[in-house]
Amino acid sequence: MSLPSTPAPSPDLLTRFATGVALIAVALVAIYLGGWPFRLLVAAGAAAMMIEWGDMHKVRRAWTWLGAVLLAAPTLALPEYLFPAADRDPAEISPELFDQIWIGFAAILALGLVYTLISRRVALGWGFLYIALPSFALLVLSWAWFELVFWLMLVTWATDIFAYFAGRSIGGPKLAPRISPNKTWAGLIGGMAGAALVGAAAAWLLGIGEPFLWLGAPMGLLAQLGDLYESGVKRRRGVKDSGTLLPGHGGVLDRLDGLLPVIVATLLVLIASLA
């Protein structure tokens, strides 16, 4: 009697896996290089997310492209003015140094308000801030302590991977069926557990230490809340994906929605730990 054959992986899963590996490789190289290579990658990603946000809200591309251009301020101009790439010296990090972050945040808020008034669309102004603030925060972290960028990326990736496999293998009650029908409580817990393990291991290996050694699980929760938020926006706008740029993953915003709140939280924790 012949044994039942193992089903071959679906083309969609293989495409998703290949795209994910390529994205992770590009991100890791850019993080390691830091400076302008990383800043240009973040600027390009922010612009793509802004365009996808405008498309989801069915806004004329002219207004959306204006928002994408304005994102050059928080991703290129402000970081270089406040934290010049050539002056990076982690040994000199101090609480006073981070006072400049609030200047950057204030400038971004002002720019978002101007964009809202010019476009006369609150959704565009909010989308600008939703993307610009984490993008700026990520560049500050890269300048100040690039190991933390590795850490938060690993925690977010672990959350996605563990949540996916826990949800698929365990199943059970749905987490938020009206927002994202495929997400389960098992996936939420599995994602947090994976983030806790990977976060602790990464913090130890990268020499980051406390409090980040123990913050994997809370960041995993935050990443999944970010994912749920974007799923809710897509549900209200009647779209399945934010875009089609990434094969098997949808849009750039679909891939980075969980990362955005984790970036801001990581920066705030760093500031608080230095106080």
Side-chain angles (χ1 to χ4, degrees):
M1 183 176 65
S2 61
L3 295 174
S5 59
T6 302
S10 69
D12 286 345
L13 184 58
L14 290 174
T15 301
R16 182 181 178 88
F17 175 77
T19 303
V21 170
L23 291 173
I24 289 173
V26 170
L28 290 177
V29 170
I31 295 168
Y32 178 77
L33 292 175
W36 282 106
F38 186 65
R39 292 182 179 194
L40 290 171
L41 179 64
V42 172
M49 286 190 284
M50 189 71 229
I51 292 170
E52 291 174 356
W53 181 270
D55 288 348
M56 282 197 298
H57 289 80
K58 298 178 173 59
V59 175
R60 280 200 310 142
R61 271 291 180 92
W63 290 118
T64 305
W65 279 99
L66 174 61
V69 170
L70 290 175
L71 278 168
T75 58
L76 298 175
L78 274 174
E80 184 59 20
Y81 177 71
L82 298 173
F83 304 96
D87 293 345
R88 180 177 177 271
D89 186 357
E92 296 183 0
I93 294 177
S94 65
E96 293 75 20
L97 185 65
F98 285 94
D99 290 343
Q100 298 177 92
I101 293 174
W102 307 115
I103 298 174
F105 281 163
I108 293 169
L109 290 171
L111 194 58
L113 177 60
V114 170
Y115 182 43
T116 303
L117 294 174
I118 292 174
S119 66
R120 293 184 293 181
R121 290 170 175 82
V122 174
L124 279 185
W126 163 241
F128 178 86
L129 296 177
Y130 171 58
I131 296 164
L133 291 170
S135 298
F136 175 73
L138 182 61
L139 294 173
V140 173
L141 284 170
S142 176
W143 184 90
W145 198 354
F146 85 103
E147 289 88 351
L148 266 182
V149 179
F150 277 117
W151 180 84
L152 68 88
M153 293 286 183
L154 291 171
V155 165
T156 306
W157 293 334
T159 301
D160 288 344
I161 293 169
F162 279 79
Y164 176 80
F165 284 106
R168 289 289 296 270
S169 61
I170 300 173
K174 301 296 183 181
L175 177 62
R178 293 186 179 182
I179 298 175
S180 185
N182 294 327
K183 288 183 172 55
T184 64
W185 282 98
L188 174 68
I189 296 170
M192 291 176 64
L197 292 173
V198 172
W204 179 69
L205 290 171
L206 294 170
I208 295 173
E210 296 182 356
F212 298 99
L213 190 67
W214 316 112
L215 286 180
M219 293 299 181
L221 173 61
L222 197 57
Q224 294 184 78
L225 290 177
D227 193 330
L228 279 175
Y229 170 74
E230 200 241 347
S231 294
V233 173
K234 290 189 293 186
R235 178 58 61 95
R236 290 194 300 272
R237 303 309 305 174
V239 298
K240 182 178 182 295
D241 297 314
S242 67
T244 58
L245 187 61
L246 305 176
H249 290 268
V252 177
L253 192 55
D254 292 323
R255 187 67 271 153
L256 301 180
D257 52 8
L259 185 64
L260 299 179
V262 173
I263 293 168
V264 176
T266 301
L267 179 60
L268 294 178
V269 170
L270 177 61
I271 295 172
S273 68
L274 292 173

